[in-house]
Amino acid sequence: MTAPVPAPRTNLPLDPPGGRKAVAVWSIGVAVYFVAVIFRTSLGVAGLEAADRFHVNASALSTFSLLQLLVYAGMQIPVGLMVDRLGTKKVLTLGAVLFTAGQIGFALSPSYGMALAARALLGCGDAMTFISVLRLGTRWFPARRGPLMAQLAGLVGMAGNLVSTLVLAPVLHGVGWVPAFAGSAVAGLIVLVPLTLFLRDHPEGHAPAPVTASGPPGAGGFVRRQIAASWREPGTRLGLWVHFTTQFPAMVFLLLWGMPFLVEAQGLSRTTAGGLLTLVVAANMGFGLLYGQLVGRRQSARILLALGTVGATALMWASVLVYPGDRAPMWLLVVLCVVLGTCGPASMIGFDFARPANPAERQGTASGITNMGGFLASMTTLLAVGVLLDATGDNYRIAFSSVFFLEVLGITQILRLRGRALARERERAHDRRPVATAPSGEPDPSSPSGPVAPASASA
């Protein structure tokens, strides 16, 4: 009897090759994201100076970050559509121009209103970076590397946060507002050079299926079809809620309220508080590598890691806020900052649910929907903390209790969606398995029912 031969696998998407060229191209993209994060988080080390410069209270100060995140979150789906339609290079280039202009404008703004407009422009450019970097990772590296590349991108972003804390903060205190912020904007001009000269959207021979605005009669427009198709996938919605629930506690702490909380509520010096913010970033980088390896090797760990991170974060915040006395001990603040370092890596897990749920031509849109989750939560909490501080006479214990309401909402949605999302993911992986055929071309009944899925189906 003739042995069965495998069916051709041309219908399966071929993995990109990876290699040195992929690393070089991806590095250009993450360099742009690195600079965007420096600009995004620069206000986190200048919150008290901004309040003095523009003569504003806590609510008005929170509006800076709130508006920036509002623009960022609102741009996520449009940016995802742009990446799917126009490609990574064009979107990244536009983003770099916008966030550089925003940083320069913030440096030179003479009034609160102009400074708000500059932060909005910065948020618009910043919104175009991370989804583009995720797209580069999926187009240049094998799918099995997807979780690790996403975590590495997040790690580079946290390195940008580290630069804000270690470099921009002392420069700001040493040379003043305008030289510090205007000088940092030079980094945006520098990354534009390799971006425009060397970045490519995908390797030769690995272009995604063309995305057009046309479709069958009654199918609706391109935008509506892309969004609807991505949202119908439970994996996309689960990714959004994982990102929503895990990211915001650390984002709120680093972006604006960590420094005031540590200085005003905990009585620490600015230097010590800056060291604790640095600890959050350093822990984030370390946990990013760990989470990337765990998820890449064991997909079943995704839900456990996400829920475990949320639980640990809630426990540590509760311990700090209810600690008897006016101030928590230093060891407890250190543990809190280490645990907050897990929030960023855990939020990347959201993309590991959205990625396998959507084909290549919808990756940008699905990533945009997912990425919107954490920034919506961060925006809500930033505003809530500012309003509660003003309403309670700077009672940080009451203000930071708003964290728990959003965590409960997020956990409820994760538990509701996880069963459907994982079942759908298994179905898609099964549908993409190669089927052995007999010489006649018909399916061979002797073929095993459970062949191993190719690497491109395992992301």
Side-chain angles (χ1 to χ4, degrees), residues 6 34 50 59-60 76 84 94 99 199 210 222 248 260 294 305 377 397:
F34 173 77
S59 296
Q76 288 308 292
D84 287 337
L94 178 60
F99 67 60
L199 191 132
F222 163 77
F248 79 93
L294 288 175
L305 283 173
R397 293 189 177 188

Side-chain angles (χ1 to χ4, degrees), residues 441-452:
E442 297 296 324
D444 184 3
S446 65
S447 174
S449 59
V452 177

